[in-house]
Amino acid sequence: MRQLIAGNWKMHGLGADSAALAEGIKAGAARAGGLACDLLVCPPFTQIAAVARILAGSPVVVGGQDCHAQGQGAHTGDISAAMLADAGATWVILGHSERRQNHGEIDELVREKVEAATAAGLTPIVCVGETEEQRVGGQETEVVGWQISGSLPKGFKGVVAYEPVWAIGTGRTPTEADVATMHAFIREELVRQFGEEDGQAIRILYGGSVKPSNAGALLAVPNVGGALVGGASLKAEDFLGIARGAIARRP
Ligand code: PEP
């Protein structure tokens, strides 16, 4: 299974910045002449169409950072999954901890968004992860187990990203042993929920302070199917440096 390196640009970049970043990633990916991984970038809503046009014909695909659970309606300020697809996105990040914290998104809503995204033809990346307090309290597997069973609908066809909240944007990462433990736990939960074949087929990304210098070690951990990258995805060289750490895994 190819690893997926996904860039979450969050609320960064005006038009010229996003275009330059997309051009840089496109050129770097072409120079690499075929990376061992899949590449995805998730710009702010307003940049999706322009970035998708720049990346058309390249191996880099485009996603959104959220979508509404409804197809359309009186939802001022929201964006539907079909609108993302119409703008050129094929993926969407859902249930990111910043959405869960800043917008009060709960598992049930995330699950409805996953269903809406899937119905619109988008591949969802569903984020799960414990807070620092929960990790210190030894509750990380319990919390992540609940998030997985609450956020993933029946027949889920997408990607799960394990992102410990305390590792996001802090420069801190779990040890490789802790990443291995959590990813093995998530794999078990996915197999329990979706059966052996489908549960094994779901990629599980690691996210939280991934950079070129630690990507190789994190991506080599068993059950790590790629990385969700925030800060380091805002520089083409760093993003591509992380992609160079990807490894080809057997299915
Ligand atoms: C993220 O927000 O998904 C993330 C992983 O951020 P960072 O890489 O900056 O820790």
Side-chain angles (χ1 to χ4, degrees):
M1 187 191 302
R2 279 164 72 86
Q3 292 189 319
L4 169 68
I5 308 299
N8 174 10
W9 295 1
K10 306 195 186 191
M11 198 173 72
H12 293 289
L14 300 181
D17 310 305
S18 294
L21 182 51
E23 294 283 9
I25 291 170
K26 181 180 175 179
R31 269 198 308 277
L35 289 158
C37 60
D38 298 328
L39 290 179
L40 162 69
V41 296
C42 299
F45 289 141
T46 52
Q47 310 299 337
I48 288 175
V51 167
R53 272 194 296 276
I54 291 169
L55 295 175
S58 86
V60 189
V61 293
V62 180
Q65 299 173 16
D66 179 46
C67 71
H68 197 276
Q70 303 296 315
Q72 59 181 10
H75 302 293
T76 303
D78 282 314
I79 299 284
S80 74
M83 289 170 182
L84 292 180
D86 188 46
T90 47
W91 290 71
V92 62
I93 299 170
L94 294 172
H96 190 280
S97 62
E98 288 155 12
R99 301 289 315 173
R100 291 178 186 263
Q101 280 177 346
N102 302 345
H103 298 269
E105 294 195 3
I106 57 171
D107 293 334
E108 190 183 358
L109 177 63
V110 176
R111 191 178 67 237
E112 287 170 8
K113 290 184 176 201
V114 172
E115 286 167 341
T118 305
L122 302 177
T123 304
I125 298 178
V126 179
C127 302
V128 296
E130 80 285 357
T131 63
E132 178 139 46
E133 200 184 357
Q134 290 162 338
R135 158 107 9 202
V136 170
Q139 296 167 295
E140 62 276 12
T141 49
E142 189 189 345
V143 168
V144 168
W146 278 113
Q147 288 174 330
I148 288 173
S149 55
S151 305
L152 306 185
K154 233 172 138 213
F156 176 69
K157 294 275 180 272
V159 169
V160 171
Y162 169 59
E163 298 206 299
V165 178
W166 51 272
I168 294 179
T170 59
R172 296 162 57 206
T173 56
T175 63
E176 285 147 51
D178 285 342
V179 173
T181 302
M182 288 306 291
H183 279 243
F185 168 74
I186 292 169
R187 177 67 68 209
E188 265 172 42
E189 285 297 298
L190 294 173
V191 166
R192 196 176 57 75
Q193 208 168 316
F194 302 108
E196 180 66 24
E197 196 179 334
D198 290 350
Q200 292 288 355
I202 295 171
R203 283 189 279 199
I204 309 168
L205 312 185
Y206 167 76
S209 296
V210 178
K211 47 193 179 209
S213 57
N214 62 16
L218 289 164
L219 290 167
V221 172
N223 281 306
V224 172
L228 180 54
V229 185
S233 72
L234 296 173
K235 282 197 183 139
E237 249 335 287
D238 287 352
F239 186 60
L240 292 162
I242 291 168
R244 281 191 286 274
I247 50 166
R249 285 210 193 283
R250 274 199 292 277

